[in-house]
Amino acid sequence: MSTSPDPHQLRIQDFHYDLPAERIAPEPLPDRASSKLLVSRQGVIEDKSFRDLPAELPADSLLIFNDTRVVRARLLAQRPTGGVVELFCLEPVAPHRAIEPALQQTAACTWRCLVGNGRRWKSGPVTLAFSFAGQPATLTAVRQAHEASGESLIDFSWEPASLPFAEVLRAAGHLPLPPYLHRSDTAADAVRYQTVYAAHEGAVAAPTAGLHFTPEVLAELAARGMASGYVTLHVGAGTFQPVKAETMAGHPMHAEPIIVQASLLRQLLGHRPRPVIAVGTTSLRTLESLYWLGAALASQPAEAGAELRVDQWQPYAPLAPGQAEITPEAALQALLAHLEASGSAAIEASTQLLIAPGYRFRLVQGLITNFHQPESTLLLLVSALLGPGWRKVYDHALGNGYRFLSYGDSSLLLP
């Protein structure tokens, strides 16, 4: 694993590579598990099939999956004159800010949205007619204020008012495929842009490392004695946010909500020091965020009702003179003690954690992930795990026919 004197000063252009457009997978393969698998084990690279994954993992591994489910967050509404306005629901604002209760809201709600073709939407409502259970239904949207970023607060209301907003999105919305696919969603995407274990609605992008898993692969993992556990990180649109600053000091990481059950914390504690393998960058960020949440609680227990969050640069702050670093075990125990004191069954927090070269991993020993865009924070994460060897991995993938990005092939990275 790599070291760096100051991650703030990392230049994003140092994480560039040439990705030809024809190497970006435009569609999923007919069979999830037929994708290629690049295995990088201590710098040695092998070409495998994803079906080989159970045999390639370290013995007695614990795999951690992100069980978020993608919502149909793109709404195509019409102005009174007939023009189309696209509303991409990013995050709830009122009456709930937490994703899961917001999706159960009936009658009306307010969300922060990206607005497409919004310059022609001067004022007044736009509407979207749809059907629910064979009956006509209508969604109405009113923009509170236009923002230069293209984001706006949108007041939604709908009939029948008894429908939860989640049902409105399922019936009226479209899957928010990654923008680089340059196409509309299809019936196939409705199945293939979800993992087979997706359980909790709230993401606007899929945790794509999990798209390769089938029930058969999961059964083979269990037959080989591999344990599995689940966390929830609702992937936000910020996962596609390009790094525009010259150095990482100028790049604000997006915040994403995480939910982790007490049972998973106990599972992690009981599994140590055996290997923990994160399925995807979102699972990895969640696991490492647990360490920083627990370390903060171990140093200073939170007041009742206080928001739990991990800031972007929290891991890179130097320890105070004489201060000992919190161990992973102590961090997990602090999280469990917090839950017991608060009478809660799960940690609910937000994370802006930036994992970049110079980061030292506390809970994760390996990663299953797809191949990421040049100059992205996801590529920084891979570089933090592999060090300069990330270039060898990506050069090999480019030279050996691997498919890139969300619907592309997979890798197992064991530093």
Side-chain angles (χ1 to χ4, degrees):
M1 300 185 189
S2 70
T3 59
S4 173
D6 185 0
H8 293 74
Q9 301 308 316
L10 288 172
R11 298 190 312 159
I12 196 62
Q13 68 186 50
D14 292 338
F15 298 87
H16 179 81
Y17 69 93
D18 291 325
L19 176 59
E22 63 269 19
R23 303 305 297 276
I24 299 173
E27 308 277 350
L29 295 175
D31 172 21
R32 290 177 187 264
S34 64
S35 58
K36 298 176 72 170
L37 177 71
L38 183 154
V39 179
S40 175
R41 185 181 284 105
Q42 296 180 0
V44 178
I45 294 174
E46 295 182 276
D47 298 310
K48 301 285 184 177
S49 164
F50 194 80
R51 285 192 175 83
D52 299 324
L53 175 71
E56 296 298 322
L57 288 165
D60 209 12
S61 290
L62 168 60
L63 273 69
I64 302 297
F65 299 85
N66 180 8
D67 63 5
T68 188
R69 187 171 186 83
V70 184
V71 296
R72 302 173 73 91
R74 287 180 62 242
L75 298 163
L76 304 179
Q78 281 195 315
R79 305 196 320 272
T81 56
V84 173
V85 173
E86 178 181 331
L87 303 174
F88 184 179
C89 298
L90 298 176
E91 61 182 8
V93 175
H96 305 285
R97 287 190 173 271
I99 290 270
E100 295 184 16
L103 289 172
Q104 297 308 309
Q105 177 64 29
T106 57
C109 60
T110 301
W111 281 62
R112 183 177 299 279
C113 298
L114 278 172
V115 179
N117 203 24
R119 284 179 293 181
R120 295 174 179 252
W121 182 17
K122 300 301 183 184
S123 62
V126 295
T127 58
L128 196 168
F130 63 101
S131 62
F132 182 82
Q135 300 298 315
T138 305
L139 174 69
T140 300
V142 176
R143 181 160 58 182
Q144 288 188 17
H146 175 66
E147 299 176 4
S149 64
E151 296 180 6
S152 297
L153 296 185
I154 304 294
D155 295 327
F156 291 109
S157 59
W158 56 91
E159 292 289 343
S162 58
L163 290 180
F165 193 54
E167 296 288 359
V168 173
L169 292 177
R170 287 188 201 115
H174 294 265
L175 278 176
L177 293 181
Y180 48 71
L181 292 184
H182 303 295
R183 65 175 178 84
S184 300
D185 59 320
T186 65
D189 293 312
V191 175
R192 293 301 307 280
Y193 199 60
Q194 303 280 12
T195 62
V196 298
Y197 48 82
H200 303 289
E201 286 192 315
V204 298
T208 54
L211 297 180
H212 307 279
F213 286 84
T214 63
E216 293 75 19
V217 171
L218 293 171
E220 174 68 13
L221 288 167
R224 288 178 174 269
M226 304 294 177
S228 59
Y230 296 88
V231 297
T232 305
L233 181 148
H234 290 311
V235 190
T239 193
F240 300 119
Q241 179 183 347
V243 179
K244 297 178 180 178
E246 183 177 340
T247 65
M248 291 312 298
H251 177 74
M253 281 292 287
H254 56 287
E256 291 172 308
I258 60 175
I259 304 171
V260 179
Q261 302 297 319
S263 56
L264 189 279
L265 300 175
R266 296 189 190 98
Q267 187 178 16
L268 289 168
L269 260 176
H271 192 79
R272 292 188 62 81
R274 293 167 291 174
V276 173
I277 309 296
V279 178
T281 58
T282 60
S283 297
L284 188 149
R285 289 182 68 238
T286 303
L287 288 167
E288 293 296 311
S289 294
L290 288 177
Y291 171 80
W292 294 105
L293 290 167
L297 289 170
S299 300
Q300 184 174 351
E303 298 179 7
E307 179 188 7
L308 299 180
R309 57 176 306 193
V310 180
D311 292 324
Q312 175 169 340
W313 298 108
Q314 186 174 336
Y316 307 102
L319 293 172
Q323 181 184 5
E325 180 171 286
I326 304 297
T327 66
E329 290 82 1
L332 292 169
Q333 289 162 350
L335 288 170
L336 285 167
H338 173 79
L339 289 179
E340 184 174 353
S342 62
S344 302
I347 291 291
E348 297 191 27
S350 68
T351 182
Q352 290 179 282
L353 178 61
L354 171 66
I355 297 179
Y359 183 85
R360 185 164 59 82
F361 291 82
R362 269 69 175 189
L363 292 177
V364 173
Q365 285 76 46
L367 174 65
I368 298 164
T369 190
N370 289 13
F371 297 94
H372 304 292
Q373 288 183 304
E375 300 185 22
S376 65
T377 58
L378 302 181
L379 190 56
L380 287 176
L381 183 153
V382 170
S383 178
L385 189 69
L386 296 182
W390 76 266
R391 285 200 177 273
K392 179 181 175 182
V393 166
Y394 274 65
D395 286 346
H396 183 94
L398 287 165
N400 288 272
Y402 282 77
R403 300 158 73 246
F404 277 59
L405 307 188
S406 293
Y407 275 144
D409 292 315
S410 186
S411 66
L412 170 61
L413 307 178
L414 300 170

